Amino acid sequence: MKQSGFFDVEERLARLSGLGDQLEAFSRTVDFEAFRPDLDKALAYCDGSKGGRPPFDPVLMFKILVIQTLNNL
């Protein structure tokens, strides 16, 4: 198996961008941060006083759900 080079990640991202990356298209057209107040209110995370792992960013999870829905996953 070939070892990854120093610039392989950047080359892969450039290739993906050239093919039409969905995340780039979404970031240009949709302001997902506008949903943050509604997501925070709907999720109502606890204050974390009991410890445990911090929750995932709600906007990130919302983006994941939108992409899953659009791709029938």
Side-chain angles (χ1 to χ4, degrees):
M1 184 173 180
K2 182 182 171 190
Q3 184 176 358
S4 298
F6 188 69
F7 297 104
D8 284 348
V9 172
E10 291 157 0
E11 290 172 4
R12 258 184 272 151
L13 290 176
R15 182 171 172 252
L16 184 61
S17 180
L19 293 172
D21 187 13
Q22 280 185 332
L23 292 175
E24 289 178 354
F26 281 136
S27 66
R28 285 191 305 266
T29 57
V30 179
D31 179 24
F32 282 102
E33 287 299 321
F35 296 103
R36 185 175 294 279
D38 294 329
L39 291 170
D40 286 335
K41 187 171 35 171
L43 295 173
Y45 288 125
C46 66
D47 62 353
S49 63
K50 293 184 180 180
R53 190 193 170 287
F56 287 107
D57 181 38
V59 175
L60 173 69
M61 296 305 293
F62 183 61
K63 286 180 186 179
I64 290 170
L65 290 173
V66 168
I67 291 172
Q68 283 179 341
T69 303
L70 291 174
N71 291 308
N72 296 323
L73 297 176

